[in-house]
Amino acid sequence: MLHKNRLFTPGPTPLLPAAQTAMASFTAHHRTADFRALFQRVLTDMKDFIGTKNDVLVLACSGTGVMEASVSNLASPGDKVLVLTAGKFGERWTGLAKAFGCNVDVLSSPYGTTFALNDIRAKLTPDVRAVFVQATESSTGARHDIRGISKIIREQSNALLIVDAITGLGTTHLDVDGWGVDVIIGGSQKALMIPPGLAYCAVSERAWKRMDDTTSPRYYFDLRKERKSAAKGESSYTPATSLFAALGAALEFIREMGKGDLAKGREVLIDNAELCAEMTRAGAQALGLKLYATSPAAALTAICSPDGIDSGKIVKEFRESFDAVVANGQGEMKGQLFRIAHIGYYDYLDTIGILGALEHVLARVTGKTVAYGAALRAAQEVYARGLSSHPQLVEA
Ligand SMILES: *Cc1c(COP(=O)(O)O)cnc(C)c1O
């Protein structure tokens, strides 16, 4: 059969055609009025996409670049910092903070789970200068309770809260300013529907003040310097100009989803991910599969491989039979689970398609009879119920 190559991975994600066209035709030099206008419009729109009034910076790097910037700009060697980790991306925070000489305290929760808020309370001694966490842990599919975590921090400490929301933004409702998140981080290859290469963050005034006392070395990733340049409509070094053009088109698309209101479009995009995720969970469970995460995120669904089957076989079968790219487990989780993302430019038909394919993949790798239509039926029921409770999704 004919196969269309499709990405179901938690980054990179499917590309928005309008964004691809915008970047293919973009030629402006970055020190021109035209580019400055685009740059400034994108930075302003990004505030609505994130849902913040704080200053936003967009840098040419992968998501990890801005994770590193948040460590080097906010923590000095010897500073006590707390990392909350329950997966490979949480472990990245530990590695980064150690690389910059921080005194790292780690609260870890087993893969697939999230943190008990009381354990965070106990770890949050007055000397903790910063707390690092993910909004959604893309390696396990878990959603962490950022509202609950920020409430504890704001109540009992002066620590800054830095949230890697690289798959959380655009898939998860996050009240960044209301909850007091100091730095929130995203990446272009996730819900923004454009290729990898840009990462961004919104930074609170408390965090900007902290940067003046930080002694860690930084040069390219000096956020204070970028903030000064951004105020003039520029970046300090050559920006990824064509990716900015793509980003501008993606933000317009999200604004149209909100009928001219970008913040509303963001909410619709998030509800879309929530509904696709709920359909996927119901479909997988209807086939007798178990979910890996106890508090599943809308960004992606991590599904346990059936007993005795390496999940690599499932990933391979998706690719060979349908040219569908789903993700295996990372690190120690390799072989145990597979991950289907619902991030960004991803819709009802993608969801139904991957669940239909899952029924065949499962039949082939297990050699057992699968009740065809079981996953689809469960997903259809979720969709019908979801539309009645989310009328904005019908109109969008
Ligand atoms: C994708 C992702 C990252 C960033 O990875 P890069 O490869 O550096 O872009 C970081 N954290 C999470 C949770 C992610 O999903």
Side-chain angles (χ1 to χ4, degrees):
M1 288 192 80
L2 185 154
H3 292 153
K4 286 191 191 175
N5 177 247
R6 290 184 174 88
L7 298 186
F8 294 86
T9 43
T13 61
L15 298 177
L16 178 74
Q20 289 178 278
T21 314
M23 70 187 285
S25 59
F26 192 78
T27 53
H29 188 273
H30 57 289
R31 307 293 182 210
T32 58
D34 277 356
F35 187 76
R36 269 185 218 107
L38 170 67
F39 188 88
Q40 262 160 340
R41 179 164 57 78
V42 163
L43 289 191
T44 305
D45 283 350
M46 283 299 289
K47 292 187 186 191
D48 281 333
F49 175 73
I50 297 169
T52 184
K53 298 210 158 22
N54 291 334
D55 278 356
V56 172
L57 297 176
V58 179
L59 298 172
C61 57
S62 88
T64 307
V66 172
M67 291 173 74
E68 170 164 333
S70 71
V71 174
S72 65
N73 282 267
L74 298 170
S76 303
D79 273 4
K80 181 157 172 195
V81 305
L82 174 61
V83 170
L84 310 179
T85 172
K88 302 316 291 179
F89 290 100
E91 289 163 18
R92 192 168 295 182
W93 277 135
T94 308
L96 278 165
K98 283 190 176 155
F100 283 88
C102 299
N103 168 12
V104 188
D105 193 12
V106 177
L107 173 64
S108 64
S109 191
Y111 292 165
T113 70
T114 188
F115 317 101
L117 293 180
N118 273 334
D119 293 345
I120 301 174
R121 228 172 242 123
K123 285 272 190 190
L124 205 61
T125 50
D127 54 342
V128 173
R129 304 263 293 158
V131 179
F132 296 91
V133 68
Q134 271 64 38
T136 51
E137 172 54 73
S138 314
S139 67
T140 67
R143 179 195 306 254
H144 296 321
D145 177 7
I146 299 304
R147 177 206 291 246
I149 293 168
S150 34
K151 189 158 181 275
I152 292 172
I153 295 173
R154 292 288 82 90
E155 275 169 11
Q156 75 177 66
S157 106
N158 288 318
L160 297 175
L161 172 60
I162 296 103
V163 179
D164 162 6
I166 298 181
T167 52
L169 282 158
T171 64
T172 314
H173 292 287
L174 299 163
D175 182 0
V176 178
D177 298 352
W179 299 344
V181 174
D182 291 292
V183 178
I184 189 150
I185 303 167
S188 58
Q189 79 275 36
K190 313 276 172 138
L192 285 171
M193 322 177 196
I194 67 171
L198 296 178
Y200 57 94
C201 58
V203 181
S204 74
E205 281 311 316
R206 283 167 5 113
W208 287 117
K209 282 205 190 78
R210 172 75 63 87
M211 284 180 214
D212 292 330
D213 311 322
T214 306
T215 58
S216 295
R218 58 218 127 126
Y219 191 90
Y220 178 78
F221 287 122
D222 187 335
L223 297 182
R224 293 165 306 170
K225 188 160 68 188
E226 283 303 330
R227 186 191 203 190
K228 279 195 197 118
S229 303
K232 293 181 277 178
E234 299 205 344
S235 60
S236 303
Y237 311 102
T238 311
T241 49
S242 51
L243 285 170
F244 263 88
L247 184 49
L251 291 163
E252 277 320 304
F253 177 81
I254 299 168
R255 195 194 310 280
E256 278 162 30
M257 285 177 75
K259 308 251 179 298
D261 179 341
L262 182 49
K264 203 167 151 235
R266 171 191 79 228
E267 302 293 302
V268 177
L269 185 68
I270 292 170
D271 289 340
N272 174 77
E274 290 280 6
L275 188 52
C276 292
E278 201 185 330
M279 289 168 70
T280 307
R281 292 195 295 269
Q285 286 172 311
L287 294 173
L289 295 169
K290 289 197 187 70
L291 304 179
Y292 189 77
T294 52
S295 55
L300 73 153
T301 302
I303 301 169
C304 301
S305 202
D307 282 345
I309 303 228
D310 188 307
S311 63
K313 279 200 178 144
I314 294 177
V315 172
K316 190 161 170 265
E317 189 62 39
F318 267 118
R319 168 114 51 172
E320 287 179 356
S321 294
F322 302 104
D323 209 3
V325 187
V326 306
N328 200 332
Q330 286 170 266
E332 301 87 322
M333 290 170 275
K334 192 162 184 221
Q336 295 177 26
L337 60 99
F338 60 101
R339 295 171 294 149
I340 298 171
H342 330 285
I343 303 171
Y345 196 57
Y346 184 86
D347 71 356
Y348 165 87
L349 286 178
D350 294 320
T351 310
I352 289 293
I354 197 72
L355 287 172
L358 175 60
E359 294 182 349
H360 288 294
V361 166
L362 210 58
R364 265 171 237 170
V365 300
T366 62
K368 291 187 189 149
T369 314
V370 165
Y372 290 127
L376 296 172
R377 178 190 204 127
Q380 294 282 44
E381 281 163 7
V382 168
Y383 177 78
R385 273 201 310 276
L387 278 198
S388 51
S389 55
H390 295 90
Q392 72 278 22
L393 286 176
V394 186
E395 292 168 33

